[in-house]
Amino acid sequence: MAFQLPDLPYAFDALEPNIDARTMEIHHGKHHAAYTTNLNNAIAGTELDSKSIEDILANISKHSVAIRNNGGGYYNHNLFWTIMSPDGGGVPTGAVGEAISRDFSSFDDFKTQFAAAAAGRFGSGWAWLIKDGSGKLSITSTPNQDNPLMDIAEVKGTPILGLDVWEHAYYLNYQNRRPDYIAAFWNVINWDEVNARYAG
Ligand code: MN
């Protein structure tokens, strides 16, 4: 039972001008596709090919570096496409809006802290908004294709929002200006999906 590359839930150019079509096309069709293929190759014929990706990530310390990198890459991009939308942006409402105000004092304070985590990740990695078992939110960041579901993560939790800060996510349009890409991300966040993941 191989993992499948999901279709993008919108057109390649749907997030312009915040994220350009060519970047989306390569990011989904080449990078995410490669993580998916390489994950399938790494688990083929093992007991892992009947496990969920969440199960694999929760026990990642027992598996190979190839499964860690490509399993993370597979999961992380699945999440990333869904938490963006051409109809996104604005101020979060609903339970997530309330939880952000509760746990970060204000949406502006949350944005400042999340942007700092994304900008401060040296090299390649991700910034995350995660929830714990009680629904409390926190911000964390992971290197490479690691994520907070992995048993090796310094800070663990369920990701409900994630930002890819690998150069492949922004370099064609923003070159070295990662902070400009982070600033544009706020315009495309699909808060309905973040709310669904918070409730889930
Ligand atoms: Mn990526």
Side-chain angles (χ1 to χ4, degrees):
M1 194 187 75
F3 291 104
Q4 301 292 324
L5 178 68
D7 291 335
L8 267 190
Y10 35 73
F12 290 129
D13 65 357
L15 302 180
E16 289 197 347
N18 299 289
I19 303 179
D20 64 286
R22 184 72 175 136
T23 294
M24 291 298 293
E25 189 175 359
I26 297 168
H27 200 175
H28 176 267
K30 303 295 184 188
H31 293 278
H32 195 189
Y35 295 127
T36 306
T37 299
N38 292 336
L39 171 62
N40 286 330
N41 289 341
I43 66 172
T46 77
E47 79 284 357
L48 295 183
D49 71 5
S50 60
K51 302 275 192 197
S52 71
I53 188 63
E54 289 84 359
D55 277 350
I56 293 172
L57 297 176
N59 296 288
I60 206 71
S61 62
K62 300 174 186 160
H63 306 314
S64 67
V65 171
I67 294 174
R68 175 174 171 175
N69 289 340
N70 293 292
Y74 174 73
Y75 176 93
N76 294 347
H77 292 86
N78 284 0
L79 178 144
F80 189 49
W81 311 135
T82 65
I83 56 87
M84 297 190 290
S85 164
D87 304 316
V91 174
T93 55
V96 154
E98 290 169 19
I100 285 173
S101 298
R102 181 192 66 210
D103 295 333
F104 301 98
S105 76
S106 72
F107 181 49
D108 281 345
D109 283 358
F110 161 72
K111 286 174 70 177
T112 299
Q113 292 176 43
F114 187 91
R121 166 51 55 192
F122 184 77
S124 297
W126 292 73
W128 303 100
L129 176 63
I130 60 173
K131 65 168 184 175
D132 71 11
S134 70
K136 185 178 189 309
L137 298 177
S138 26
I139 292 166
T140 185
S141 124
T142 53
N144 304 314
Q145 293 297 354
D146 288 358
N147 70 42
L149 293 177
M150 293 180 171
D151 60 355
I152 47 84
E154 282 179 38
V155 179
K156 289 185 253 313
T158 302
I160 64 170
L161 176 71
L163 176 58
D164 187 344
V165 295
W166 283 58
E167 285 187 345
H168 69 222
Y170 64 85
Y171 205 85
L172 288 180
N173 193 38
Y174 293 98
Q175 293 83 50
N176 62 321
R177 303 188 311 278
R178 188 191 288 185
D180 292 353
Y181 161 71
I182 296 168
F185 178 60
W186 301 112
N187 299 327
V188 296
I189 295 178
N190 180 352
W191 288 110
D192 289 342
E193 174 65 18
V194 180
N195 259 301
R197 289 176 180 270
Y198 183 65

